[in-house]
Amino acid sequence: MEGIGGPPMPQWGHDAWRMYQYYLDKSTPHTTYRWIGSLVIVAIYCLRVYSDQGFYIFVFGLGIYLLNLLFGFGFLSPLVDPELEGSDGPLLPIKRSDEFKPFIRRLPEFKFWYSMTNAFCIAFVMTFFSVFDAPVFWPILLCYGIVLFVITMRRLIGHMIKYKYIPFSIGKQKYSGKKGSASSSGSRGD
């Protein structure tokens, strides 16, 4: 016989976690709606920080965390980094005649979205506790954040130029047939 407060509470927590995971899994293919929801959360967080005129240290920390997600964990980096791999030949295509290899991120989009949204939710909850509002001179944090962003972007763009890759796919690639083939002789009445 079980006493008061036995298994029902762990079972309730487990059921809540399963429900959360169920809806998270259902949201996976709906990229646009997930990002719209995240932008709403970011806007609410920004309004909260602006209305309180505080918690600038969290904004700075959140910015550093997002930079780390983008570059450190590799959302904008290839899965196989040519600088870190000690291979004999090039891993990414260098010439137009090389085999096309699609850009595969080190950090998938869904994990990036989940980590970013989770970070904003945690930072939003922390803004309700005044113990976390450390007095700082925000212009210095802003300047330091901009300098970090510029240095990091400069390094990333240099890496992208050196190894000739683009972390974004803009639309579907269109392949044209060979010029001078039989299909282009005008035999069809298009």
Side-chain angles (χ1 to χ4, degrees):
M1 183 172 228
E2 297 172 13
I4 298 175
M9 188 59 174
Q11 182 64 32
W12 177 83
H14 181 70
D15 290 345
W17 179 256
R18 284 176 41 121
M19 184 71 72
Y20 170 74
Q21 191 64 46
Y22 172 76
Y23 284 113
L24 193 62
D25 291 343
K26 282 188 69 89
S27 73
T28 303
H30 306 288
T31 308
T32 305
Y33 297 119
R34 282 191 286 116
W35 281 103
I36 289 172
S38 291
L39 289 176
V40 168
I41 291 171
V42 169
I44 291 170
Y45 174 75
C46 291
L47 285 172
R48 171 85 177 145
V49 169
Y50 179 75
S51 68
D52 281 356
Q53 295 293 312
F55 299 101
Y56 298 121
I57 199 78
F58 278 140
V59 174
F60 179 73
L62 205 53
I64 296 297
Y65 179 71
L66 291 177
L67 272 176
N68 194 24
L69 277 179
L70 282 171
F71 310 120
F73 290 122
F75 181 70
L76 296 179
S77 301
L79 179 64
V80 179
D81 192 352
E83 281 185 354
L84 301 177
E85 288 292 319
S87 74
D88 298 331
L91 297 172
L92 296 172
I94 297 189
K95 297 180 232 160
R96 216 177 247 291
S97 62
D98 288 349
E99 177 185 350
F100 172 73
K101 296 179 184 175
F103 182 81
I104 301 171
R105 300 182 193 299
R106 192 178 307 159
L107 179 69
E109 179 269 336
F110 182 80
K111 289 185 179 179
F112 174 71
W113 166 81
Y114 182 75
S115 298
M116 185 198 85
T117 305
N118 200 17
F120 272 101
C121 289
I122 290 169
F124 179 72
V125 169
M126 292 178 87
T127 60
F128 288 100
F129 302 100
S130 62
V131 71
F132 296 119
D133 190 11
V136 294
F137 187 60
W138 67 266
I140 291 176
L141 285 179
L142 180 65
C143 291
Y144 185 61
I146 290 172
V147 167
L148 278 176
F149 178 76
V150 168
I151 289 172
T152 307
M153 282 303 292
R154 188 170 151 206
R155 183 180 59 87
L156 178 72
I157 291 171
H159 190 269
M160 289 166 56
I161 290 171
K162 181 178 179 181
Y163 293 104
K164 299 180 181 175
Y165 68 90
I166 300 173
F168 304 107
S169 59
I170 303 170
K172 187 175 178 181
Q173 280 192 344
K174 296 179 181 170
Y175 298 99
S176 58
K178 293 182 180 179
K179 295 182 179 174
S181 65
S183 64
S184 64
S185 64
S187 61
R188 290 180 51 189
D190 289 336

